[in-house]
Amino acid sequence: MLDIKFIRDNPEAVRSRIAARGEIPALDELLELDKRRRVLIEETDGLKARRNELSKEIAALSKSGGMITPLKEESREIGQRISEGDEELKTIQEAMKQTLLAIPNLPHETVPVGKTDADNELIRTWGSPASFDFEPKDHLTLGEQLKIMDFPRGTRVTGSGFPVYAGPGAILERTLINFFLDTHRARGNYKEMSVPFVVNRDSLIGTGQLPKFEDDLYRCDVDDLFLIPTAEVPLTNLHRDDLIAYDDLPIYYCGYTPCFRREAGSYGKETRGFLRLHQFDKVEMVKFVRPETSYDELESLVKDACEILEALNIHYRVVALCSGDLGFSAAKCYDIEIWAPGEKRWLEVSSCSNFEAYQARRANIRYRRKETGKPDFVHTLNGSGLATPRLLVAMMETYQNDDGTISIPDVLKKYTGFGLITPDGVQ
RNA sequence: GGAGAGGUGGCCGAGUGGCUUAAGGCGGCGGUUUGCUAAACCGUUGUAUGGUGUAAAGCCGUACCGGGGGUUCGAAUCCCCCCCUCUCCGCCA
């Protein structure tokens, strides 16, 4: 959520920065409401002040046995006008809140202006594409031949987009989660958290998924709860309505959860295999930081995610999203993409974003400033570190051998207990 | 699902109609003492919002004791509805 005071003082700047996202915010209506709101507050506050005076007079008079009936009469009349004003005020404030909740964050000044992912800016590339002296297979072929991924059975059990990993595939997938968590805990100083996979509306409003994107979520109707689309939601909302001590910042969390996405409207886009799923596993990193440090924190967050890929020796690149490709709540976002030699394309495995105070304002997450001792909103950040399905795809395709077997990267062997997946099992 | 208890400031916790700008404690901040730390002592310390200041400060208001209604000149306090938490029972991994 943007600060209404900032919008009031800088309407044109807000308009043009939102326009860079390709959206036109309803600022005029909002500012009209804001004007009316302030007039109403002035009026009703004046009336309330008068009523408070009258009450004091009545209290004094009734002690001394004076005549209080006319004062009571005036107070009653004022009370009538107050409730009329308050009622209009309530309507206006609710309308303003809904409008504000629907306005996306402002892109940071360093975000490249553009319309689609074609306008994203390549920041850097690490490693080089795996080379083969045979034609590399894609993950679906490998997964089927090795019997470690079973798409049809997931469809039977639930529907398309719900993956089944089998045998060594399941072990490998679980291994990755442990490897991610251990790495972030040991090297990035992230506190590991285990959090609910189902959340309430307030949490989703806090991080920005609601009210605009309800269609993208799985909802449990009877309880009005939602399956999480990312661990960002529970991890960030751990501190909803908190006032955090200055010295407690920064706070780093990491956590594993499955993620559930209806992917409404994206059918037919990328339905192949494990590239776009309704359910997938992910380890997420979340940071709560002092505002002046948040862009440094973003850079280190990206590094922490990349470290995983370097340990696994996966060819990757970092891309800065352009204004038009930016997520709703983000001020700046880097995507990390990995090379899948079978697919012969880049796959997005991580998004690392700085939300500045946007989520903190929605979720009311504050800290006490050192200099003034006054509360202010923290900055929040998060990044995937990492999501398993696309990483598995790239790993299988990168580590495949000419006989159709897949080697396990060295850093994972102590977790898996095997170093090679073959059609007949593991070695 | 059944019964009971409870939701008050950064935290704990008192408070049954006007004296609440919410007692007291903890924490925070400033100071005294001190070789340093600690302890002790003294002082200080709510949030949001409107108006007025070039800004900060200040000043003048208003609201806020889980949420929403009601009674009343006036509600943390009385009444109604809802939400949440805890304890016990039932069911259960």
Side-chain angles (χ1 to χ4, degrees), chain A residues 65-229:
Chain A
M67 181 66 177
I68 59 175
T69 314
L71 296 186
K72 277 193 182 183
E73 199 45 52
E74 185 186 349
S75 183
R76 210 196 310 266
E77 271 171 40
I78 288 176
Q80 189 59 41
R81 290 167 65 194
I82 289 172
S83 42
E84 284 164 17
D86 277 350
E87 204 163 310
E88 187 184 349
L89 198 56
K90 204 172 140 191
T91 310
I92 287 176
Q93 278 169 337
E94 182 55 29
M96 286 179 68
K97 190 181 164 197
Q98 290 311 316
T99 307
L100 279 169
L101 287 176
I103 296 176
N105 201 357
L106 303 177
H108 188 248
E109 55 185 0
T110 58
V111 169
V113 175
K115 286 198 170 77
T116 69
D117 57 5
D119 302 314
N120 293 346
E121 183 188 329
L122 178 64
I123 301 297
R124 62 191 178 90
T125 303
W126 185 89
S128 51
S131 60
F132 300 89
D133 47 19
F134 58 94
E135 185 56 33
K137 296 169 179 152
D138 68 21
H139 75 282
L140 277 183
T141 309
L142 289 164
E144 197 180 343
Q145 287 177 351
L146 296 170
K147 303 183 194 72
I148 58 174
M149 285 175 158
D150 197 331
F151 211 63
R153 282 179 205 278
T155 303
R156 182 186 301 171
V157 171
T158 307
S160 76
F162 292 87
V164 169
Y165 301 100
I171 294 168
L172 183 56
E173 206 258 352
R174 169 164 57 85
T175 282
L176 286 174
I177 293 164
N178 283 329
F179 172 61
F180 297 162
L181 288 170
D182 287 349
T183 303
H184 295 315
R185 186 163 44 80
R187 296 170 78 169
N189 208 23
Y190 292 83
K191 185 174 183 180
E192 182 175 336
M193 305 296 274
S194 176
V195 292
F197 304 160
V198 178
V199 295
N200 58 32
R201 269 179 197 275
D202 285 343
S203 290
L204 288 156
I205 288 169
T207 33
Q209 286 79 14
L210 289 182
K212 267 193 103 171
F213 307 104
E214 183 155 351
D215 286 350
D216 293 338
L217 301 166
Y218 287 99
R219 187 175 71 236
C220 310
D221 248 326
V222 273
D223 298 303
D224 204 31
L225 298 172
F226 297 81
L227 302 190
I228 56 171

Side-chain angles (χ1 to χ4, degrees), chain A residues 23 251 272:
Chain A
E23 285 195 39
I251 296 171
R272 236 175 97 76

Side-chain angles (χ1 to χ4, degrees), chain A residues 315-359:
Chain A
H315 180 41
Y316 72 83
R317 65 179 191 183
V318 178
V319 168
L321 296 195
C322 75
S323 53
D325 208 20
L326 211 53
F328 181 77
S329 302
K332 183 168 187 171
C333 178
Y334 292 107
D335 272 4
I336 303 170
E337 301 177 338
I338 52 177
W339 181 250
E343 299 285 334
K344 297 186 174 51
R345 51 181 283 211
W346 294 99
L347 305 176
E348 180 195 330
V349 278
S350 177
S351 282
C352 298
S353 307
N354 184 359
F355 303 94
E356 298 187 2
Y358 187 87
Q359 291 182 328

Side-chain angles (χ1 to χ4, degrees), chain A residues 105 184 190 203-204 206-209 229-237 251-255 259 261 282-289 294-295 297-305 321 326-336 348-360 365 378-386:
Chain A
N105 201 357
H184 295 315
Y190 292 83
S203 290
L204 288 156
T207 33
Q209 286 79 14
T230 158
E232 159 193 355
V233 180
L235 286 173
T236 305
N237 279 282
I251 296 171
Y252 297 169
Y253 290 143
C254 65
C259 303
R261 301 186 179 179
K282 178 160 66 64
V283 167
E284 187 77 0
M285 302 174 283
V286 169
K287 293 184 174 186
F288 304 82
V289 308
S294 68
Y295 280 93
E297 294 281 4
L298 177 60
E299 297 302 320
S300 69
L301 183 67
V302 173
K303 254 184 223 144
D304 291 334
L321 296 195
L326 211 53
F328 181 77
S329 302
K332 183 168 187 171
C333 178
Y334 292 107
D335 272 4
I336 303 170
E348 180 195 330
V349 278
S350 177
S351 282
C352 298
S353 307
N354 184 359
F355 303 94
E356 298 187 2
Y358 187 87
Q359 291 182 328
I365 306 170
V378 300
H379 282 193
T380 59
L381 301 93
N382 68 55
S384 347
L386 301 161

